[in-house]
Structure formats: C-alpha cells, structure tokens
Amino acid sequence: MNHLFSPQLGLVTALSLTSLAAVAQNISVSGRVTNAAGEGQPGVTVLERGTSNGTSTDADGRYRLEVAPTATLVFSAIGATTQQLPLSGRTSLDVRLQDNETTLNEVVVTGSRATEGRSNILTTSPVDVISAREIKAYAQTDVTQILTYIAPSFQSTRQTVTDGTDFVDPATLRGLGPDQVLVLVNGKRRHTSALVNINGTPGRGSVGTDMNVIPPAAIKRIEVLREGAAAQYGSDAIAGVINIQLKDDTTGVQTSSTVGQTVEGDGELFQADANAGFGLGRRGFIDVSGQFSNRSFVDRSRPDTAPLIYLGSNGNYPSGLSDQQKRDLKAQDDALVAQRGFNRRNIRVGSSDVRTYGGFVNAAYTVAPALNMEVYAAGGLTRRTGRAGALYRLPNQATQSDLTIYPNGYLPFINSTVDDASLITGIRGTVLGFAADLSNTYGRNSLRYDVTNTLNASLPQGTSPTDFYAGTLTFQQNTVNLGFSRKFTSVPALSTLNVAFGGEFRTDMFEIEAGEEGSYLAGTRTVNGARAAFGSQGFPGYTPRDATDRTRTNVAGYVDLESDITEKLLVSVAGRAERYSDFGNNVSGKLAARYSILPDLAVRGNLGNGFRAPSLQQRYFTNSSTQFTSGELREVLTTNNDDPLTRAFGIGSLKQEKSKNYSLGLTARVLRTITLTVDAYQIDIRDRIVLSSQFNRSNAAVNQILGTLPVQGIQFFANAVNTRTRGLDIVANERLQLGPDSRLTLTAAANFNETTVRRFNSSAFIDANPSLQNTLFDRAQRARLENGQPRSKINLSADYGYKIFSVNLRTVRFGEIQTKDANPDRSFIDQTFSAKWVTDLVLSAQVLKNVGVSIGVNNLFNVYPDRLYQDPNNNEQSLTYSTLDATNRGRFPYSSNQFGYSGAFYFGRVNVSF
C-alpha cells in the first residue's frame, strides 16, 4: 500500500539524507573517569562541547573519542558536578568527578517544549525516568514487562487464548485504557498497533501501541509523563505520555545474551542483543541496535473435567438419563479414553510461543555548524512470529468436528506474524533566533493470521483443509511536524519566557484483508439436523464483507508558553486545535504551575481538558470470532458503526472521548540525598468508547435483527459510558555512598487508583427494550473497567554495589482485582483476587574489564494469583456437571490480569563490551 508516502515524506527524507561532508583532521583522546573515591565511573557522558560528538565510559570508567585538537570535553553524570576541560592538544585526559547531591535526578524533556530540560523534581508534571541500566538490571526482556515492574502507574500482563491479544500485550497507565496513553519515540508520535482487542482482556475494545517491537538494547531511557497532555501532544494523551529516547552515543559495541526458563521447565528464553555507536567525525553519530529473542510457551492448564470425551454431547451427558445410565455411558467413554490415550490436559493456558527479530537505527549529522543545523533519522524493522492454542474441540462436539479428519478431536493453533516498520526523518536548526524542527514520521504495523491444525466443519465430511490463511490487519500512519521554540530572558516582569508553537498534518489508514475462502465459508453440512460450525475453527477468517480500506486526515496547531515568572514560580500554558476529516474539530488546553515554598520543597498542579479521537480500527473493524462467555462457546459478530446492523440498535457514528484532568502534588528533597514526589489526580472522561457486551439471539428483538446470519450474538463499539478515575502516585529515591567501594540506591514507589462508571449512554431503541438495557455495558464489562486491573501497586527496590559486585533486589505488590460474570444469575462466581508480592533477585559481577555476568530469579518465591472459582461438583466423575464455573471445564486455573502465572523464572546473562 502507498497511501501514506506523501510529497512531504519525500521532501523531509531527502533533507535528512543529505550527503555527509568531509571533516577536518582529528586526534584520538582517551582516559579514565573516576568518582570521588577513585573508583572507575561507568556510564559517564563525554561530549565535545558545541557538537553532538560524544561517548560514554565503559565498566571501568575508560573512554576513547575522536575530536579536534582544540576541543573542550564535557564530563557529566547523575549525582556529580559537570566538568568542562580544554584538551589543548593532549591525547590523554583522566578526570575525577566530584559528588553533587543537588543534581541527583534525571533531566527530562517530556511534558515541556522548553529549550532546556529540567530535573524531574523541578517539572510542573510528574515524570518517571527509567534508565538503560534499570532496563538491563532484571530478566524482563519486553518493554511492557520492564515498565510493569519498574513504574507502578503502568500495567501490562501477557494474555492467553485471546486471539491476536496473545501476541500484542495490552498496556495501561493510571488504570485507564491502552488507547488513552500516547507513545512517543524521540519525542515523535508513535503509530499504534493494527490489532483491536475484542476478547475479555484489559482494554477490551481498545487499540494500543505495540512497544515490544522496540529492542531494549536501542533504548537510552524511557520517560513516563503521568499527566494528561492532549493540549501539548494531541489525541490519546489522556492518562499520560510515554517517551522512548533511543541511544545516541558513540560508545563502541555492547552485546548481551540471556537464557532462562521457568521452575516448571517451560517458557525457555534465549535472547541476544547488541548495540553499536559510532561517531561521524565531529559532526554526528550513528547508533545501531538489534535483537533476536525466542520464547517458548508456558502452560499452566489443568485437566479437562468434562465427564465425556467421545460419547454424549459437548462433553456432557444427554438429557433424560438416569444416574445408572450416566455411569454406564461414563464407563464406556473412559474405556475409549484409555484405549486411544486421550490427554485431558488438552489446551495451553499461558504465554504463547514467540520469536522476534528486530533492528533500530538512530543517527544525526550537522550539515551547517554556523546555523546549528543538523539532519536526523531514526527507525526500525521488527518481525514477531507467534503460535498460540485456541480451545480444544472434543470428538463429541459434533458440529465443530469431523471425525474422519480428527477422530480424537483437535487443538487449533493461531499463528501470527507481526511486521512493524517506522522511520523518523527531519532537519533542525536555528531560524531567526528560534529553534526550528521539521520532521516526518512514518509507521506501519500489520498482523497476519494463519490457523493450523484446524478445519471448516461446515464443508462436506473429509474434504476440509486443515490449515488456512485467515487474513491480515494493517495500520499505517504518516505525520508531518513543524515546530519552533525560543527562550526569552529579557521580557518585562518575567524572569524567563519560553515560547513554542507549531503545526501537524497526519494521515491514518486502516485495512482488513480477507482470508482465503475456506477460512470463512459457511458450507451446507449438518450434523444430526444441526448446522455445522463455519469457518476455520479457533479463528474464522475475515470475509470479503469484513474487508475494508479506510483513510482519514488530521490538521493541528498548538501554542505552548512556559515562564519562570519569579525564581520560585514556574507557570506553563498550552493550547491545541485539531480538525479530523471524519468527525470534526476539537480544542484542548492546559494550565500548570510549580511553586517553591522552600529551596527543597515545592507544590505543583495541573488542570486541563483533553480528548481521544476514535481510532480507525474502532470505527471500521468488523469480524466474526469464537468467544467463551458465561460458560458457553459462541460465534459472535463484531460490526462497525456504519453497518446497518449496528444502526438497527440506534447506535450512531463514534465521536471523540473528552476528558478533564486535575492534579496537585508535592516535590521535596530531604537530607540532600532523598527525593520525594507525591501527586494526586482526577481524570473525568465523557463519552468513553467501549466494545458492547454481546446481544444474543435469545432476545426476540436481537434475533429479528440478526435474521439468518450464522452467529449467536453481535457486539459493536459505542460511546457508552462516562467515567471518573482518582489516584495517588508516590515516588521516593535515595542514593548513598557507604564507603570508598560501596554504594546503595533505595527506591519506594506506589500508585493507588480507582475508576468508577458514573453514567451510561444508551439509545432510544435499547431503552425501549428493557431486557437489552444491561447488555450494552454489562456487569462483566463494568468490573473489567473498574476492577479488572490492580487498583494499587507498590514497588520497593534496593541496588547495592561493592567493587565489581552488585545485588539487585526488588519486590512489587500487585493489588487486588475483581471479576464478575455477565449474567447476574451467575453472580455467585464473582471473585476478588487478593493482593500478592512478587520478588526478583539478581546477582552481578564485572568479572573482566569488558565482561559482566548476572544470574537471577524473577518471582523468587514462585507466587501465583488466587485460583479461579471452580464448581465443586465439576469433575470428570460428576453426574451433575454444569457450566456454573469460571474455569472452562477446570482448564483455566488463573486470571491473567494481575501479574500473570508463569511462576519463578531462572536466568543467566552475559554482557560484553568492546
């Protein structure tokens, strides 16, 4: 598809790839950087002043850099006083840094368009900073899992038996949805995933951003802005912004290899990654990163408790049998089970098989030093393939089986291929005293489905293929940005004034490609008078009716003002106007301030309004899927809002969600080594978009609307609810130098949040049918929104280093969650899952100058969530088996939504740099 390759993309790409010029003769300078105690200091930034040419020190504090003979070198590190030393022709320069306890915090750029960054305790909004060192400290290898265990306000867990969501983890911030947090890379908007989450997972009905396609080896740091910022960055930034800064140094080559597995012997992981940074003379850099990861599936399923496997119907006894007749039938079935070696542990409950290949590049080059003008580029390519099990089809599930092909039943496998590509190109420099930045950001994400070990039961017996191509989802986005900013220091009555303004033009495209005909075909086969299930079992293919190709455009302009009105008072004001081609206009604004009560104590607060545009995926997605709801397996049709079936329910086109954000916080430095931030917030969202519950044929009005379609239910998107989220974030850090050879860093962080549904937004048709009023947004949906994720998370960590050794200990408390059944008559299986602590331990040693090793355990004490409710009568010997159970015949023992259930994971890692 070429929808998004615009003239703007060609222009900016040409500017960004301007030929590199030859540079003057340089010299090579090397040396060692030590701390106040004389120890080699790793990770110190070494820059040639006035250029982007730089590097960082290795594990022993050593560096090497090509510079001009007259250069001045700038040495900087967190917690140390920055030093600037003229080289004066020297080729060797050793430096001892001195502690500076007033600069313990990272400088951040997210949340402000000021020309100079501020410490994260000096900003008007709360920002978490996760460094590359923290990213590498533990065994989590995906960005979402790393953030889940470091940032308490962030939450993501791997899902199971949820179609595409098995391969794209839904991720949330402050208890809101995956689509209510905006993701940036190098400060530029990141495209979302093509996937719509339509099964019973967190963020059901939403479209998130697949951050796991970015190799952790490519990341310099991650900044998490915990504040509504739609007025600054546009749609999606209701809960906050996650900005992933790519590595931009010239530190040589760093490689890492990690191997591990769970205590149960599955979930084997092998991962290898590498990063290489090179200087381009004195004018720029190129940083290249790559990753290969292979993770085997985890299975925590339990044996199938269906009384009957081969005889009876759908695992249960035919109606009208006496207890003795049931026992006789059961004995016959048991004999068949033994004879054919049927394994009752017949599905996979846990994370899927996943293999990932990915690479990223980040580069910049100064083309006009006098104008401070440089071209830059960043981008990557990633392919992730996965294999996940669906639900097992028993041989006695006649309408879903063909015993001539699978006499013992079968487990369908959903195979995915996720391809992700991105490219940021741009040019920045000084124009009329303003810092100017022109950029083009392109992104594409696709998800292909292939279903294997399956069949289309509606085809004539014995004729169905056993594998199908089921279709592809594709999302593309292209964004052109032009921004200007300037800091004024001579404005009357103001200490400083930073002015920023700019514009944006964005194009989005969403496409559904139909699968092969057999994957969706509704054949004519019947079984005992009942129509056989159509389409590839496990995941029916997208039909030509589902296929779509939709595009929209967006134009926006913004103004952002920030002023140190006095030395104590910082105020920022932002406004943004947008126009979407498919639903109209939106204007949002934000006011924020920070006031220093004392030199080490300040209050800060924000208020503003924001919005989130309905995604193209939500507007135009349609398909048929097999879903497990209230103990039953159903074929469910998902329709878009332009479909006559949706309009028959009185539901119109989707409109934007609108939000109001309020926060009030405190920042402090205690005893010069401890930093503390406390921020309370409230987020009100009006017309929140959700995927409805299932309207079933059992209702006469629904049955009439569905007509002869071969499905049991229908669901669609709607601006169905208004919600309020209140919460509190607390973060405290302390860094201690315990002696000349030992250091200790302590962190305590917590998030407490509560979301409540304040209003339902229905339609006249649904209101006129009382039996449908609770279906648009049923009790299971409400519980998922209000209590489906931990309402609290507490993170405690301690990092201790002694000479070449270090110990990292972290424990995270995941708060309780709740589940409720959609059917009020089944409320007795509603469940509250208690809070649990999960502890990680890592031991590391720098065994050689360029070689480090680590061993560790994630989930040291092998903690699992509470078990799901299982009816005590439901066992394979039961004569009174029922569907009043949350475990799907005993096979699903746990819920995925708290912290997963892989158990303890043991790993080893080797890091090599050269």
Side-chain angles (χ1 to χ4, degrees):
M1 304 299 297
N2 295 310
H3 297 73
L4 302 183
F5 285 98
S6 61
Q8 296 95 330
L9 175 59
L11 171 63
V12 179
T13 302
L15 287 170
S16 300
L17 299 179
T18 302
S19 299
L20 302 182
V23 298
Q25 183 66 40
N26 295 331
I27 64 172
S28 177
V29 60
S30 61
R32 186 169 186 255
V33 181
T34 57
N35 59 20
E39 301 171 300
Q41 185 81 346
V44 176
T45 299
V46 184
L47 282 174
E48 181 180 2
R49 191 175 67 183
T51 76
S52 58
N53 181 34
T55 185
S56 63
T57 57
D58 64 16
D60 193 42
R62 299 187 183 277
Y63 71 93
R64 179 180 294 275
L65 189 63
E66 298 287 331
V67 298
T70 58
T72 295
L73 299 188
V74 181
F75 299 83
S76 60
I78 298 171
T81 301
T82 299
Q83 295 189 36
Q84 301 188 37
L85 301 175
L87 196 55
S88 302
R90 288 177 288 180
T91 58
S92 177
L93 181 61
D94 293 339
V95 177
R96 175 171 286 196
L97 296 181
Q98 300 299 316
D99 291 341
N100 182 353
E101 294 172 343
T102 64
T103 60
L104 291 175
N105 292 87
E106 296 270 13
V107 172
V108 298
V109 296
T110 308
S112 171
R113 296 187 187 274
T115 57
E116 298 176 0
R118 299 177 185 270
S119 162
N120 62 348
I121 66 168
L122 297 178
T123 57
T124 59
S125 301
V127 183
D128 295 324
V129 181
I130 296 98
S131 67
R133 178 185 173 278
E134 292 175 282
I135 291 171
K136 291 175 63 176
Y138 295 90
Q140 282 83 19
T141 54
D142 295 334
V143 172
T144 56
Q145 292 301 300
I146 290 166
L147 287 173
T148 294
Y149 282 85
I150 293 179
S153 58
F154 184 93
Q155 175 69 12
S156 178
T157 57
R158 293 178 180 138
Q159 302 297 311
T160 185
V161 196
T162 53
D163 297 344
T165 311
D166 280 22
F167 313 107
V168 182
D169 298 344
T172 65
L173 191 67
R174 285 185 158 183
L176 295 179
D179 51 6
Q180 289 159 338
V181 56
L182 174 64
V183 178
L184 311 175
V185 172
N186 286 355
K188 309 297 182 182
R189 176 181 284 269
R190 176 82 180 169
H191 61 279
T192 64
S193 167
L195 174 71
V196 186
N197 297 297
I198 64 170
N199 288 295
T201 67
R204 181 177 184 268
S206 68
V207 178
T209 301
D210 189 355
M211 290 181 280
N212 291 338
V213 299
I214 302 175
I219 299 173
K220 178 181 180 180
R221 68 176 183 272
I222 303 174
E223 299 175 354
V224 182
L225 172 65
R226 294 178 272 113
E227 187 63 68
Q232 294 170 293
Y233 299 106
S235 177
D236 305 346
I238 290 179
V241 177
I242 296 174
N243 182 25
I244 299 174
Q245 291 287 132
L246 301 178
K247 287 181 178 176
D248 55 4
D249 52 39
T250 56
T251 56
V253 179
Q254 299 176 342
T255 64
S256 176
S257 180
T258 303
V259 295
Q261 68 177 29
T262 72
V263 68
E264 299 293 334
D266 57 8
E268 296 92 345
L269 171 71
F270 172 76
Q271 178 169 312
D273 55 37
N275 171 259
F278 307 99
L280 301 177
R282 294 191 304 123
R283 293 194 173 190
F285 69 91
I286 182 168
D287 202 287
V288 183
S289 303
Q291 180 186 76
F292 169 77
S293 177
N294 189 74
R295 190 187 73 222
S296 299
F297 70 90
V298 170
D299 184 12
R300 298 293 177 269
S301 65
R302 300 290 179 180
D304 193 334
T305 59
L308 302 177
I309 301 298
Y310 291 91
L311 307 177
S313 175
N314 291 313
N316 214 335
Y317 301 99
S319 59
L321 297 185
S322 66
D323 285 353
Q324 186 56 52
Q325 288 173 318
K326 290 179 181 180
R327 293 188 187 96
D328 293 342
L329 188 62
K330 172 66 176 168
Q332 297 175 43
D333 192 78
D334 286 347
L336 287 172
V337 168
Q339 176 186 338
R340 301 190 183 184
F342 184 86
N343 185 357
R344 284 183 173 267
R345 193 170 174 183
N346 54 32
I347 66 172
R348 293 182 181 180
V349 176
S351 57
S352 58
D353 288 300
V354 173
R355 177 172 291 186
T356 304
Y357 313 80
F360 258 72
V361 177
N362 190 30
Y365 187 79
T366 300
V367 293
L371 298 176
N372 195 30
M373 183 176 293
E374 72 173 5
V375 293
Y376 59 90
L381 294 171
T382 300
R383 166 163 286 191
R384 181 194 305 131
T385 58
R387 185 172 187 255
L391 291 172
Y392 196 93
R393 271 54 173 178
L394 294 176
N396 64 17
Q397 292 177 311
T399 60
Q400 296 171 281
S401 299
D402 183 341
L403 299 184
T404 65
I405 300 176
Y406 297 113
N408 298 310
Y410 60 101
L411 176 65
F413 286 101
I414 301 173
N415 304 271
S416 74
T417 302
V418 177
D419 285 313
D420 192 275
S422 61
L423 177 63
I424 303 169
T425 57
I427 184 169
R428 54 193 169 215
T430 303
V431 178
L432 301 176
F434 284 84
D437 188 343
L438 172 65
S439 67
N440 191 96
T441 303
Y442 170 76
R444 182 183 189 275
N445 182 274
S446 67
L447 175 57
R448 173 189 169 115
Y449 291 103
D450 291 277
V451 191
T452 56
N453 200 51
T454 184
L455 54 75
N456 184 335
S458 70
L459 299 179
Q461 193 170 36
T463 66
S464 174
T466 57
D467 59 87
F468 299 93
Y469 165 59
T472 300
L473 304 174
T474 302
F475 178 74
Q476 294 187 77
Q477 185 175 87
N478 196 80
T479 307
V480 179
N481 274 106
L482 177 61
F484 300 89
S485 64
R486 183 174 180 179
K487 183 177 182 179
F488 296 91
T489 58
S490 57
V491 179
L494 298 177
S495 176
T496 64
L497 175 63
N498 195 90
V499 177
F501 60 92
E504 178 177 291
F505 178 77
R506 187 167 76 247
T507 304
D508 297 340
M509 187 280 288
F510 175 59
E511 179 183 8
I512 299 177
E513 180 181 276
E516 62 179 281
E517 184 179 28
S519 71
Y520 58 78
L521 186 66
T524 59
R525 179 177 172 237
T526 60
V527 181
N528 298 324
R531 188 172 183 176
F534 72 95
S536 47
Q537 289 298 291
F539 188 92
Y542 297 115
T543 70
R545 180 181 182 275
D546 300 333
T548 189
D549 189 345
R550 298 283 185 162
T551 302
R552 75 171 174 205
T553 60
N554 162 252
V555 180
Y558 68 86
V559 176
D560 195 327
L561 306 175
E562 184 174 299
S563 173
D564 290 292
I565 295 178
T566 68
E567 290 185 357
K568 291 187 175 182
L569 179 62
L570 169 66
V571 176
S572 65
V573 180
R576 187 180 185 96
E578 307 217 14
R579 178 171 182 80
Y580 283 80
S581 61
D582 57 346
F583 71 82
N585 305 329
N586 190 84
V587 176
S588 53
K590 177 181 176 181
L591 173 65
R594 179 185 183 278
Y595 182 76
S596 297
I597 302 172
L598 297 170
D600 290 330
L601 179 66
V603 293
R604 61 186 177 191
N606 291 261
L607 61 90
N609 68 313
F611 78 106
R612 189 188 72 79
S615 68
L616 280 185
Q617 294 93 314
Q618 290 174 319
R619 290 211 61 190
Y620 298 113
F621 179 79
T622 180
N623 91 315
S624 179
S625 62
T626 306
Q627 298 186 23
F628 178 74
T629 305
S630 295
E632 298 179 16
L633 205 61
R634 300 172 181 165
E635 292 295 329
V636 179
L637 180 66
T638 302
T639 57
N640 65 49
N641 289 66
D642 292 337
D643 193 297
L645 293 174
T646 308
R647 297 298 176 111
F649 286 87
I651 303 298
S653 297
L654 294 178
K655 55 187 177 181
Q656 70 267 42
E657 301 173 345
K658 292 190 175 182
S659 66
K660 293 181 179 179
N661 303 266
Y662 314 87
S663 71
L664 182 64
L666 175 78
T667 70
R669 181 179 288 111
V670 183
L671 300 177
R672 302 185 67 82
T673 62
I674 302 173
T675 60
L676 173 68
T677 64
V678 181
D679 295 276
Y681 59 90
Q682 177 175 300
I683 306 169
D684 292 331
I685 304 176
R686 180 160 52 94
D687 297 324
R688 189 165 174 175
I689 298 172
V690 300
L691 181 59
S692 76
S693 307
Q694 297 170 15
F695 294 84
N696 295 312
R697 281 191 181 276
S698 56
N699 181 277
V702 175
N703 188 57
Q704 183 176 359
I705 291 173
L706 291 180
T708 60
L709 290 172
V711 295
Q712 288 76 53
I714 185 173
Q715 59 189 14
F716 40 77
F717 295 91
N719 296 95
V721 294
N722 297 355
T723 64
R724 168 170 287 175
T725 300
R726 286 175 167 166
L728 181 70
D729 290 320
I730 304 172
V731 180
N733 293 285
E734 181 173 19
R735 294 183 176 94
L736 298 172
Q737 193 71 36
L738 302 180
D741 296 323
S742 60
R743 59 206 175 274
L744 176 65
T745 300
L746 301 173
T747 301
N751 170 260
F752 305 91
N753 71 83
E754 179 182 54
T755 295
T756 56
V757 175
R758 305 182 70 201
R759 179 181 171 181
F760 296 95
N761 307 316
S762 188
S763 71
F765 174 83
I766 292 174
D767 289 340
N769 291 269
S771 60
L772 300 181
Q773 289 180 358
N774 293 325
T775 308
L776 181 63
F777 191 72
D778 64 27
R779 61 197 308 272
Q781 284 270 72
R782 181 166 186 165
R784 188 177 296 115
L785 201 65
E786 294 183 334
N787 305 291
Q789 300 181 85
R791 283 192 167 186
S792 65
K793 274 177 65 180
I794 299 173
N795 182 312
L796 304 175
S797 66
D799 298 334
Y800 174 74
Y802 178 76
K803 293 186 177 181
I804 67 169
F805 301 100
S806 65
V807 179
N808 305 96
L809 179 65
R810 175 178 63 196
T811 185
V812 180
R813 181 187 184 273
F814 293 84
E816 68 178 30
I817 65 170
Q818 294 180 355
T819 59
K820 293 185 179 180
D821 196 88
N823 185 349
D825 294 336
R826 293 163 50 96
S827 62
F828 59 87
I829 66 172
D830 296 350
Q831 195 167 352
T832 297
F833 300 82
S834 60
K836 297 291 178 68
W837 289 91
V838 178
T839 303
D840 300 338
L841 175 65
V842 182
L843 306 176
S844 303
Q846 194 70 31
V847 294
L848 297 173
K849 175 183 175 180
N850 297 323
V851 179
V853 296
S854 300
I855 58 171
V857 185
N858 286 357
N859 197 350
L860 177 64
F861 301 110
N862 201 31
V863 176
Y864 281 80
D866 293 344
R867 293 285 296 269
L868 285 164
Y869 171 80
Q870 183 171 349
D871 189 318
N873 291 319
N874 281 4
N875 59 74
E876 61 183 270
Q877 301 302 324
S878 175
L879 300 179
T880 56
Y881 199 91
S882 75
T883 61
L884 302 179
D885 195 303
T887 65
N888 186 248
R889 306 205 306 256
R891 297 179 293 180
F892 285 80
Y894 306 108
S895 167
S896 301
N897 299 344
Q898 197 171 17
F899 54 88
Y901 43 83
S902 296
F905 179 85
Y906 299 88
F907 74 95
R909 176 181 291 137
V910 177
N911 299 307
V912 180
S913 61
F914 50 91

